[in-house]
Amino acid sequence: LSSPVGVLKWSYNGEDAAPLTINCWPDDEGTGSINVNLEFQLNRPDMILTDVNILVPLGTTDPPVIDEIDGQYKHDPNTGMMCWHHDVIDASNSSGSLEFSIGGDDADVFFPVQVMFKSQSFLCPIEVTGVSSVSTGASIPNDIIKNVGLDSYAIP
């Protein structure tokens, strides 16, 4: 008694399941340098995404040269990854871009792009309006905690 119990779990794979569209366009200059343009667009203006991290493999431990950025970035030379971070993506901040250049000659190294975020908005509209006893029909006091979790979100 008085112990939290998860009683409702489901998965959703509809075409509108992905709240973000992310595009990555690497352009090999043919000079040993690659220019990369990343963009995101919020597909679900009803959702609020927080602590959004878009992870991009760089194919090198060298840092990228940032030309333009919406949001913040962090380079991890140990893993050769760059994290493009946004505190919040919502209807008022629904798109963004990042342009950078980096040494290299293989445009395929920037994939897969991985995405992580948190949200208290569900991917499909569902509300729990109450909890009641099966045997008596009486209302049972309850707390509802909404949380969206990702198994994986990668752009190949």
Side-chain angles (χ1 to χ4, degrees):
L1 214 58
S2 297
S3 297
V5 176
V7 293
L8 179 63
K9 293 184 181 182
W10 73 95
S11 65
Y12 180 64
N13 293 320
E15 287 186 19
D16 63 344
L20 279 177
T21 298
I22 297 175
N23 292 306
C24 179
W25 293 290
D27 182 25
D28 184 351
E29 294 290 302
T31 60
S33 181
I34 298 177
N35 293 323
V36 180
N37 184 311
L38 280 161
E39 295 178 346
F40 74 82
Q41 178 68 44
L42 181 66
N43 297 330
R44 299 278 309 272
D46 58 312
M47 292 189 75
I48 298 171
L49 309 180
T50 59
D51 195 20
V52 180
N53 291 304
I54 301 169
L55 302 173
V56 183
L58 299 174
T60 179
T61 58
D62 295 338
V65 176
I66 305 298
D67 296 320
E68 289 185 33
I69 187 169
D70 296 321
Q72 306 157 355
Y73 87 98
K74 188 172 190 177
H75 171 246
D76 183 349
N78 295 322
T79 61
M81 300 285 283
M82 179 176 59
C83 177
W84 181 22
H85 177 79
H86 297 270
D87 291 330
V88 176
I89 295 176
D90 60 12
S92 67
N93 180 38
S94 63
S95 64
S97 64
L98 165 62
E99 294 180 32
F100 68 91
S101 58
I102 195 160
D105 58 8
D106 183 3
D108 292 334
V109 300
F110 302 101
F111 301 96
V113 174
Q114 300 172 52
V115 183
M116 294 177 280
F117 61 84
K118 298 176 185 173
S119 181
Q120 292 185 346
S121 307
F122 288 142
L123 297 175
C124 61
I126 187 171
E127 289 292 328
V128 176
T129 59
V131 178
S132 58
S133 169
V134 173
S135 59
T136 67
S139 180
I140 298 173
N142 64 83
D143 291 318
I144 297 173
I145 299 171
K146 295 180 179 182
N147 188 17
V148 173
L150 301 173
D151 286 336
S152 116
Y153 193 164
I155 293 86

